[in-house]
Amino acid sequence: MNDRTSPYGFSVVICVYTEDRWEDILAAVDSVRKQSLPALETLLVVDHNERLLTRLTEEYAEPRPTEEVRVLANAGPRGLSAGRNTGIAAARGEFVAFLDDDAVAERDWLHHFATAYDDPRVMAVGGRTLPAWASGHRPAWFPEEFDWVVGCTYRGLPPGRVRVRNLLGGNASFRRTAFDAAGGFATGIGRDGDRRPLGGEETELCIRLSKAVPEAVLLIDDRAVIHHKVPPVRERFAYFRTRVYAEGLSKALVARSVGAQKGLESERRYTTRVLPAGVLRGMRDALRGRSGGAGRAGAIVTGVTVAAGGYALGTLRARRHGTTFSWGPIERAGDGTAGATDTTGTALTRALVGDAEARPADAVASEGGAR
């Protein structure tokens, strides 16, 4: 696994975009270096930030004998999807893992991913993402059912190693051949540092992968744990509202690409079973005098309403626009342009978000796009 010339092992991709997260980036890389199963390489993909690119190149200029950190510029349009595609194209390993730039992985993170790939049908494995609240504790009003708002595993997902429709992108791994079969992340969806915090790119890719390889198995192993930093701005209700609205817009994009049946399959169970149970739990806590119970119940109701509004508006705009986004194959570095390009997708995303909404609420703007 340590041999850099080997095609086996894990290439870990960390997409970065701002110097404001400098210490977080170093911590993320350090957590990969400390894995019980060493990574073949760590790829830092810098999203159109020359100063950060230069600084990271200097930081990791001196190689280590047992592993390698490579710093790359995003070869595609600005945004998380194109950054990931750049990393995939450059990856030398048989498996490609993704870690958020403001997260740290536990020591056995890659080990638990690797054991799942003993089954040749397994094409993707994700893990459990725990919030690391900047305040030191969860806000009393913040329901665990909505931890996806801050990029973390939410209440309602089954425990253990289980088969799922899609992974969460900040704690995920894929066989390299998955991208050969399904293409890369669609660049007309997902995070862009200058726009609303859209998501759903990993959902769209996973559904597309399952269509391209019908026998493919996608798993989540909750032993593969990372800890994801939640800054103060994301602990505020203003960010919560903005993020759930953006999720509604994102689901409209996903449904447009893969169809509403597949695109909303998991969401139906979530909204009809998980969320009502969360409301009842919150009201029960309120009646027992427990702090935050009523707030959590209210946040769930507000979240559903705002997300539904975003989905309805996004669906209307998508129909009016009359097009869908596309994706391209991942070309291995040296064989052509790294990554996938997608001009129609970007146009559709702009149509869904709207020019007047190009800058999100202050809670998001202060995060530079709140990735």
Side-chain angles (χ1 to χ4, degrees), residues 145 155 276-298:
E145 291 82 0
R155 180 191 287 265
V279 172
L280 291 175
R281 189 179 304 108
M283 296 307 298
R284 183 171 62 248
D285 287 347
L287 291 173
R288 294 175 177 175
R290 295 175 181 172
S291 175
R296 290 191 296 274

Side-chain angles (χ1 to χ4, degrees), residues 288-341:
R288 294 175 177 175
R290 295 175 181 172
S291 175
R296 290 191 296 274
I300 291 173
V301 173
T302 299
V304 171
T305 303
V306 173
Y311 180 82
L313 182 59
T315 300
L316 179 64
R317 288 177 175 171
R319 288 174 179 170
R320 185 181 304 165
H321 192 268
T323 188
T324 59
F325 59 91
S326 62
W327 56 87
I330 297 290
E331 303 216 21
R332 296 179 187 268
D335 297 334
T337 302
T341 58

Side-chain angles (χ1 to χ4, degrees), residues 125-155:
V125 186
R128 179 160 52 110
T129 302
L130 300 178
W133 303 96
S135 62
H137 57 83
R138 173 187 297 275
W141 61 268
F142 203 114
E144 293 182 26
E145 291 82 0
F146 275 81
D147 276 6
W148 56 263
V149 166
V150 292
C152 296
T153 303
Y154 55 91
R155 180 191 287 265

Side-chain angles (χ1 to χ4, degrees), residues 104 107 111 126 152 247 268-269:
V104 293
R107 178 173 169 78
H111 167 75
C152 296
E247 185 69 9
R268 291 190 184 96
R269 176 188 174 277

Side-chain angles (χ1 to χ4, degrees), residues 8 34 68 78 84 88 90-91 94 104-105 139 151 155 168 170 202-204 249 276 282 288 292 310 348:
Y8 304 105
K34 293 178 178 177
E68 180 180 13
R78 183 183 299 275
R84 286 173 173 166
I88 296 163
E94 182 183 6
V104 293
R155 180 191 287 265
L168 297 179
E202 60 270 3
T203 300
E204 192 275 339
L249 292 175
R288 294 175 177 175
L348 179 58

Side-chain angles (χ1 to χ4, degrees), residues 28 96 105 133 139 149 163 221 329 339:
V96 182
W133 303 96
V149 166
R163 192 166 181 171
D221 188 335

Side-chain angles (χ1 to χ4, degrees), residues 9-238:
F10 282 87
S11 296
V12 178
V13 175
I14 304 174
C15 295
V16 302
Y17 72 105
T18 176
E19 287 185 273
D20 292 342
R21 293 185 177 179
W22 178 257
E23 295 299 328
D24 295 333
I25 295 168
L26 299 186
V29 173
D30 189 55
S31 75
V32 176
R33 283 177 157 172
K34 293 178 178 177
Q35 290 295 298
S36 60
L37 176 65
L40 183 68
E41 60 185 352
T42 301
L43 305 177
L44 287 172
V45 183
V46 183
D47 193 14
H48 298 272
N49 185 329
E50 289 298 325
R51 180 181 171 87
L52 179 59
L53 179 68
T54 299
R55 191 177 177 188
L56 284 171
T57 300
E58 294 172 351
E59 177 72 22
Y60 294 107
E62 185 175 343
R64 290 191 177 187
T66 57
E67 54 88 35
E68 180 180 13
V69 176
R70 288 195 283 153
V71 181
L72 311 171
N74 180 0
R78 183 183 299 275
L80 182 57
S81 291
R84 286 173 173 166
N85 291 341
T86 298
I88 296 163
R92 299 167 182 164
E94 182 183 6
F95 309 101
V96 182
F98 298 95
L99 180 66
D100 276 344
D101 63 344
D102 54 353
V104 293
E106 291 192 359
R107 178 173 169 78
D108 291 330
W109 178 59
L110 291 180
H111 167 75
H112 290 303
F113 281 169
T115 58
Y117 287 113
D118 289 340
D119 183 342
R121 299 173 302 164
V122 174
M123 297 296 286
V125 186
R128 179 160 52 110
T129 302
L130 300 178
W133 303 96
S135 62
H137 57 83
R138 173 187 297 275
W141 61 268
F142 203 114
E144 293 182 26
E145 291 82 0
F146 275 81
D147 276 6
W148 56 263
V149 166
V150 292
C152 296
T153 303
Y154 55 91
R155 180 191 287 265
L157 289 177
R161 182 190 284 179
V162 294
R163 192 166 181 171
V164 293
R165 180 196 65 179
N166 65 274
L167 314 182
L168 297 179
N171 181 7
S173 66
F174 295 82
R175 289 189 190 272
R176 181 60 180 76
T177 53
F179 303 108
D180 297 334
F185 290 92
T187 57
I189 190 172
R191 299 299 177 91
D192 181 330
D194 294 328
R195 296 191 180 88
R196 211 176 268 282
L198 297 171
E201 68 275 13
E202 60 270 3
T203 300
E204 192 275 339
L205 171 63
C206 288
I207 294 173
R208 185 163 20 103
L209 173 60
S210 295
K211 287 184 174 181
V213 187
E215 68 275 14
V217 173
L218 285 68
L219 300 174
I220 284 182
D221 188 335
D222 65 7
R223 298 171 301 171
V225 177
I226 71 169
H227 299 265
H228 187 257
K229 187 176 180 179
V230 183
V233 69
R234 298 193 188 186
E235 296 185 8
R236 301 172 188 166
F237 193 67

